[in-house]
């Protein structure tokens, strides 16, 4: 099942900044160092099929999430958040691995007191409330995002985040 054709792997890689970087390294690196660069690269991004399988395995209503719409809605977050593994903290913290992570706990990111002391672990339910109205859900947060009002958009965005941020079903 995990074996994929080269085409699929390349297709998934085209979506990934990290793959782009290793592509650059391949063209600019000397022959001797190119294999070393490849071996240090992150494990391969899940393929499109694996993402669909993960989506289907999510509890309702997330299993019916529209990943294309979720990706489009993530456009509202992108200026402040990266989602790839090891991605930079921007105005907001990197969101890779956010599901199952204690709120306000990413090392090296300077959270507000409100978020640092909130004391829960991120799951779909908390994220849904947060994204609907961050400043009502956690008063004092410095995330200046007004909220995503349409429930279906939040479902799609959360499904997209689960598929893209390394979430593993418990
Ligand atoms: C204008 C910048 C900005 C935008 C846009 C934004 N965020 Fe944030 N986000 C932040 C900041 C700043 C924090 C840290 C909040 C704090 O410490 O009070 C944060 C925190 C978070 C956290 C908590 C992370 C943790 O480690 O506990 C999540 C989850 C999150 N944002 C998701 C989103 C999503 C999803 C979107 C898009 C719908 C979004 N954010 C849009 C700036 C932003």
């Amino acid at each position: 099942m995990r074996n994929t054709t080269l085409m699929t792997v390349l297709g998934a890689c085209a979506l990934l900044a990290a793959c782009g970087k290793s592509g650059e390294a391949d063209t600019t690196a000397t022959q001797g160092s190119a294999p070393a660069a490849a071996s240090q690269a992150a494990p391969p991004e899940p393929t499109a099929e694996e993402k669909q399988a993960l989506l289907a395995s999510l509890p309702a209503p997330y299993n019916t999430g529209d990943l294309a719409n979720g990706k489009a809605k993530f456009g509202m977050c992108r200026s402040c958040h990266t989602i790839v593994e090891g991605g930079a903290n921007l105005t907001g913290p990197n969101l890779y691995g956010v599901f199952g992570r204690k709120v306000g706990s990413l090392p090296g990111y300077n959270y507000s007191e409100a978020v640092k002391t909130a004391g829960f672990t991120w799951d779909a339910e908390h994220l849904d409330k947060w994204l609907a109205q961050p400043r009502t859900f956690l008063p004092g947060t410095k995330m200046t995002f007004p909220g995503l009002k349409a429930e279906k958009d939040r479902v799609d965005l959360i499904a997209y985040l689960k598929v893209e941020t390394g979430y593993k079903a418990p």
Side-chain angles (χ1 to χ4, degrees):
M1 275 299 278
R2 295 186 66 88
N3 280 341
T4 53
T5 66
L6 185 59
M7 287 298 289
T8 311
V9 171
L10 290 174
C13 274
L15 301 170
L16 235 204
C19 290
K21 276 188 206 133
S22 64
E24 276 165 32
D26 285 343
T27 56
T28 55
T30 64
Q31 269 194 327
S33 62
S39 69
Q40 284 163 14
E45 168 81 341
T47 63
E49 285 86 349
E50 285 167 342
K51 289 179 183 181
Q52 284 300 328
L54 176 55
L55 177 70
S57 75
L58 298 177
Y62 301 103
N63 56 345
T64 59
D66 174 349
L67 295 183
N69 186 44
K71 185 177 184 179
K73 296 303 167 226
F74 186 72
M76 296 188 296
C77 325
R78 207 175 276 284
S79 60
C80 296
H81 291 286
T82 60
I83 47 172
V84 294
E85 186 167 14
N89 296 329
L90 306 177
T91 304
N94 170 254
L95 295 178
Y96 187 87
V98 69
F99 294 98
R101 183 161 96 194
K102 191 167 176 244
V103 56
S105 71
L106 189 68
Y109 181 82
N110 187 22
Y111 293 93
S112 65
E113 275 307 304
V115 166
K116 224 183 314 185
T117 57
F120 60 82
T121 296
W122 283 115
D123 55 19
E125 290 69 27
H126 283 95
L127 206 62
D128 183 68
K129 296 195 185 94
W130 169 249
L131 295 180
Q133 245 180 339
R135 281 172 289 183
T136 307
F137 180 60
L138 286 181
T141 180
K142 61 177 184 173
M143 172 154 137
T144 53
F145 175 72
L148 187 53
K149 299 294 173 245
E151 190 180 345
K152 174 63 176 152
D153 285 343
R154 295 197 303 274
V155 167
D156 294 345
L157 176 55
I158 290 168
Y160 173 77
L161 287 173
K162 284 215 170 185
V163 168
E164 296 294 331
T165 62
Y167 168 79
K168 302 258 186 313

